[in-house]
Amino acid sequence: MPHDPSAAPTRVQPAPGAMVIGGGPAGLMAAEMLLAAGHPVTLAEAKPSIGRKLLMAGKSGLNLTKMEPFDQFLDAYPNPGPLRPMLERFGPETVRDWAEALGQPCFTGSSGRLFPEAMKASPLLRAWLDRLDAMGLARHTRWRWTGWECDALRFDTPEGERVLRPGATVLALGGGSWARLGSDGIWADLFRARGLEITPFLPSNAGLLVDWSEHMTRHFGAPLKNVTFRAGQMENRGEAVISARGLEGGGLYPLAPALRDGHALVVDLLPDIAVETLAERLSKPRGKTSRSNALRKALSLTPAAQALLMEMARPLPHDPQTLASIVKTLPIRHAGLRPLDEAISTAGGVPMAALDGLMLKALPGTFCAGEMLDWDAPTGGYLLTACLATGRQAGLDAAAWLER
């Protein structure tokens, strides 16, 4: 809804250039593009420090991107259409070049995932902030955006309330998970109060809640390695961990969209063995060997996989063909995905239909980037790459707006 600037209160202060709200990867990349185009940038971050979620994600190894052919890379996104042009301009190779230009040499792991040699996120973030500071970035922490006042932006700051009117605004406010690190999703209420459309947040890259029986307790923390998970039309081969609350891990996370839609989950415990071969093994006479020992030898399952089979399919059928089919398509009873704030990321947010490029149609001069946009991606470098790519594009678009 348009507003008459003359109706704004006199306490509104002009802010030269652009404001970027949110100090994660998308916000920092937007700020870099604006600064490189010669525009002053003020960055506001609600938390006491910049890049808290990035630092947490990089604690055990910062997975920057996935080095693979572009069409294969794009296929990892459930709805890649709106992201495609941005990822074409800032895809895996460009992410690698960008990180190395910050003095962070990278290496590609056996799975194709790209990591900085330092592994952690902190050296890269320090180098990035040093470069942005040298370019003239004015950054403020503990500045929480509290909404609009006419056409200006209102902030709670340590010095009291500030109301600023920049020439352009980039919002990079994150999704609705990991609230303690800044992605609390509260901004969605500010959008609704302004009459802006929001798609409800949904958990993504989240563990699965399973109510285990007591016999599974000794397997908590054990990995299920090299299995294939399937839900609906989606499947993924990888690893998951049996935890006290259910299942979690990179092998399971990419199936979140199908699980959210209510599709059943099955797991192939032996993806390299055909069902006919497995049935033939199970048909062999066992002589004096107990059935449990014969099954253990015939299936060669890890203790964790065998426990999962017994948990979900006990009593096991005696017919070899039926049992082989169960091993290959073991149904997993569960209570859905973990709660929103326990998810690694979220779907939902600002719908792409509400944007012209990355600018809000209802608020010309205001651009959105990163996880606050309604897109989805699995872990493995895809999330971070899209955050950087959308932040870059939002910064370029905001710079073009200022120049017009």
Side-chain angles (χ1 to χ4, degrees):
M1 182 183 300
H3 292 268
D4 179 4
S6 64
T10 56
R11 67 196 180 102
V12 173
Q13 299 172 307
M19 284 213 68
V20 175
I21 306 178
L28 294 176
M29 185 60 79
E32 183 168 352
M33 296 300 103
L34 281 154
L35 291 165
H39 300 288
V41 178
T42 302
L43 185 142
E45 164 59 44
K47 288 295 183 180
S49 58
I50 301 290
R52 292 162 80 93
K53 191 172 179 181
L54 178 67
L55 291 171
M56 177 62 75
K59 249 182 130 177
S60 58
L62 180 62
N63 183 191
L64 289 167
T65 192
K66 183 80 175 289
M67 304 304 294
E68 58 190 359
F70 181 74
D71 285 344
Q72 184 178 338
F73 182 83
L74 200 65
D75 282 345
Y77 297 86
N79 182 27
L83 295 173
R84 182 178 189 119
M86 292 175 272
L87 292 170
E88 285 176 335
R89 299 184 192 104
F90 203 85
E93 291 81 7
T94 320
V95 170
R96 179 191 57 205
D97 295 345
W98 165 80
E100 294 189 340
L102 284 170
Q104 303 299 309
C106 299
F107 72 94
T108 304
S110 58
S111 65
R113 296 181 178 187
L114 185 79
F115 299 88
E117 287 183 1
M119 289 301 287
K120 294 184 178 180
S122 49
L124 182 142
L125 181 59
R126 281 196 301 270
W128 197 4
L129 290 175
D130 287 346
R131 182 161 79 184
L132 294 173
D133 290 343
M135 295 172 75
L137 177 65
R139 51 187 169 105
H140 302 279
T141 55
R142 295 187 172 91
W143 275 39
R144 175 170 285 278
W145 177 57
T146 58
W148 289 275
E149 189 161 312
C150 297
D151 62 345
L153 303 166
R154 193 171 58 243
F155 296 90
D156 280 339
T157 80
E159 293 77 35
E161 188 177 73
R162 298 285 302 275
V163 185
L164 303 175
R165 184 190 294 126
T169 302
V170 176
L171 302 174
L173 298 163
S177 64
W178 293 27
R180 67 191 184 281
L181 301 178
S183 295
D184 54 23
I186 291 174
W187 60 266
D189 293 332
L190 303 178
F191 268 56
R192 294 186 187 99
R194 182 78 180 200
L196 300 172
E197 185 181 355
I198 289 293
T199 302
F201 291 120
L202 296 169
S204 188
N205 293 297
L208 207 60
L209 293 165
V210 181
D211 184 16
W212 302 115
S213 65
E214 188 177 342
H215 98 279
M216 291 295 290
T217 304
R218 67 179 183 273
H219 299 285
F220 291 167
L224 292 165
K225 293 187 175 183
N226 198 26
V227 299
T228 296
F229 293 99
R230 297 189 182 92
Q233 298 300 310
M234 304 184 76
E235 74 170 53
N236 188 57
R237 183 164 175 167
E239 184 174 320
V241 173
I242 298 172
S243 72
R245 297 183 63 190
L247 289 169
E248 53 192 276
L252 187 63
Y253 293 158
L255 274 63
L259 294 171
R260 287 196 308 259
D261 289 343
H263 291 286
L265 176 67
V266 300
V267 58
D268 183 346
L269 296 174
L270 294 171
D272 291 323
I273 302 175
V275 66
E276 295 80 8
T277 304
L278 196 55
E280 185 179 342
R281 285 187 188 179
L282 292 166
S283 299
K284 291 180 179 178
R286 60 184 175 89
K288 295 182 179 181
T289 306
S290 67
R291 185 171 186 244
S292 60
N293 284 335
L295 287 175
R296 186 169 62 251
K297 290 178 182 178
L299 298 175
S300 297
L301 293 173
T302 65
Q306 186 167 327
L308 185 67
L309 174 64
M310 295 300 292
E311 176 77 2
M312 297 295 165
R314 189 170 41 192
L316 299 181
H318 287 271
D319 176 62
Q321 189 68 45
T322 304
L323 180 54
S325 296
I326 288 175
V327 172
K328 297 290 289 179
T329 56
L330 179 66
I332 304 297
R333 299 184 300 275
H334 62 86
L337 295 171
R338 298 273 282 271
L340 194 65
D341 194 50
E342 297 179 26
I344 293 175
S345 63
T346 51
V350 179
M352 293 295 187
L355 302 169
D356 180 4
L358 290 179
M359 183 174 72
L360 285 167
K361 294 175 182 176
L363 288 176
T366 299
F367 303 82
C368 299
E371 280 194 64
M372 70 180 296
L373 299 172
D374 184 14
W375 54 272
D376 202 357
T379 56
Y382 303 103
L383 279 166
L384 182 53
T385 300
C387 285
L388 293 169
T390 57
R392 175 184 177 276
Q393 191 61 51
L396 292 173
D397 291 351
W401 172 267
L402 289 171
E403 286 153 17
R404 285 200 296 270

